[in-house]
């Protein structure tokens, strides 16, 4: 199910969106809020996959609310003002519903959401997100989203207190998630190794080993901790070619 939040300061409009969500089999209403501030409070302790958001609201308008989110979920703007459409698509809105809109318009937006979040429907989609269909992906919670990560795309993992930074080959910006190094280490396959209390590396991504450092690229030098030197050296020795 795709978890939805509806935000509108007009009770009747909010009721209509909630009713439409209830008519779509793959959508689930997680929260309905009459202000962006109320929505913000909800998102501090829970998450949704998509927000249906009015724009013209008191205190904090919907557009500014979405722009203020660090990693917003998918967004469908709902408003009576057509002039907001261009600005709406600038923030990568999935759709823009101009009031008054009917169920057919709403279904169009719902189908676009499903295409983004569930591009392929298969029995595998019912499996646990911790194991995945072929055990080569993991799902990580970051801000208000759950993101799918290919394990082979992970370059290295860095511990920061209670959080982890997961650095990917495909994205310059790391994923920040609330998770322990122990849990991550247990989940990753054999071609990952912990080399420091703060680092787990993908061994296939190593470019160079220089003294007590692993060089992942020209800008990334990771230390090898004393506790992990012996295990890491055994790995290097096993791969080392000489005369």
């Amino acid at each position: 199910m795709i978890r939805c939040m509806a935000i509108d300061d007009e009770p009747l409009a909010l009721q209509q969106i909630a009713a439409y969500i209830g008519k779509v089999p793959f959508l689930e209403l997680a929260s309905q809020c009459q202000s962006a501030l109320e929505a913000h409070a909800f998102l501090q302790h829970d998450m949704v996959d998509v927000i249906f958001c009015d724009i013209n609201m008191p205190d904090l308008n919907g557009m500014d609310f979405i722009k203020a989110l660090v990693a917003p979920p998918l967004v469908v703007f709902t408003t009576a003002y057509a002039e907001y459409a261009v600005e709406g698509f600038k923030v990568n809105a999935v759709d823009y519903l101009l009031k008054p809109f009917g169920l057919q318009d709403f279904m169009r937006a719902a189908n676009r959401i499903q295409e983004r979040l569930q591009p392929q429907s298969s029995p595998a989609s019912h499996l646990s997100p911790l194991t995945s269909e072929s055990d080569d992906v993991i799902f990580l919670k970051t801000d208000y989203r759950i993101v799918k990560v290919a394990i082979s795309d992970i370059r290295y993992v860095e511990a920061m207190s209670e959080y982890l930074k997961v650095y990917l080959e495909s994205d310059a910006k790391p994923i920040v998630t609330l998770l322990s190094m122990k849990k991550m280490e247990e989940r990753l396959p054999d071609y990952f190794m912990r080399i420091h209390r703060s680092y787990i590396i993908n061994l296939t991504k190593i470019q160079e080993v220089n003294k007590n450092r692993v060089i992942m690229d020209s800008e990334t030098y990771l230390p090898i901790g004393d506790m992990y030197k012996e295990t890491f050296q055994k790995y290097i020795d096993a791969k080392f070619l000489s005369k």
Side-chain angles (χ1 to χ4, degrees):
M1 295 289 282
I2 297 173
R3 287 170 55 83
C4 305
M5 168 182 279
I7 312 172
D8 202 305
D9 63 316
E10 299 177 9
L12 290 179
L14 189 60
Q15 184 179 348
Q16 181 193 48
I17 296 171
Y20 284 165
I21 290 172
K23 293 179 183 291
V24 182
F26 53 83
L27 297 185
E28 173 189 10
L29 182 63
S31 176
Q32 47 184 324
C33 306
Q34 288 190 258
S35 72
L37 297 178
E38 184 183 343
H40 178 72
F42 177 87
L43 292 175
Q44 294 302 300
H45 61 79
D46 210 335
M47 61 184 182
V48 296
D49 301 304
V50 60
I51 297 176
F52 292 88
C53 188
D54 186 22
I55 294 179
N56 193 22
M57 295 186 292
D59 297 324
L60 178 63
N61 73 52
M63 190 71 68
D64 290 340
F65 168 65
I66 297 300
K67 288 179 179 178
L69 296 178
V70 175
L74 298 184
V75 179
V76 174
F77 285 114
T78 61
T79 183
Y81 300 91
E83 60 266 27
Y84 286 117
V86 174
E87 189 176 357
F89 287 114
K90 283 182 179 179
V91 295
N92 295 320
V94 176
D95 209 339
Y96 185 96
L97 297 176
L98 189 62
K99 297 178 182 178
F101 54 86
L103 181 57
Q104 185 176 356
D105 295 321
F106 186 88
M107 281 301 304
R108 179 196 69 213
N111 288 332
R112 288 181 176 176
I113 291 165
Q114 188 181 40
E115 287 173 5
R116 293 275 194 97
L117 295 177
Q118 301 172 343
Q120 293 181 345
S121 240
S122 68
S125 64
H126 301 293
L127 296 177
S128 165
L130 291 177
T131 58
S132 86
E133 61 269 27
S134 57
D135 210 35
D136 60 355
V137 301
I138 55 176
F139 287 78
L140 298 174
K141 180 180 177 182
T142 177
D143 295 312
Y144 311 120
R145 305 174 299 149
I146 294 179
V147 295
K148 181 179 178 180
V149 177
I151 291 177
S152 60
D153 192 33
I154 298 173
R155 297 175 61 238
Y156 66 97
V157 179
E158 179 183 6
M160 296 184 356
S161 186
E162 297 178 343
Y163 291 84
L164 299 182
K165 278 186 174 182
V166 181
Y167 292 83
L168 305 178
E169 194 80 35
S170 60
D171 195 338
K173 185 178 179 182
I175 295 172
V176 180
T177 185
L178 180 60
L179 194 65
S180 70
M181 283 289 270
K182 185 175 183 296
K183 286 288 187 183
M184 179 62 83
E185 191 174 12
E186 289 172 352
R187 179 63 186 85
L188 293 174
D190 292 342
Y191 58 89
F192 283 83
M193 182 180 290
R194 191 164 183 176
I195 61 165
H196 189 275
R197 61 181 296 182
S198 299
Y199 296 102
I200 299 172
I201 63 169
N202 184 334
L203 297 168
T204 69
K205 308 292 185 183
I206 295 174
Q207 289 191 1
E208 188 178 330
V209 179
N210 189 333
K211 296 182 180 178
N212 291 325
R213 299 181 303 177
V214 174
I215 301 173
M216 305 299 288
D217 57 51
S218 60
E219 298 179 352
T220 308
Y221 295 69
L222 305 181
I224 303 170
D226 291 338
M227 288 178 56
Y228 306 92
K229 280 182 182 178
E230 184 177 352
T231 303
F232 182 70
Q233 189 61 49
K234 285 181 179 179
Y235 167 78
I236 296 297
D237 291 344
K239 302 289 184 181
F240 190 77
L241 292 181
S242 61
K243 291 183 180 180

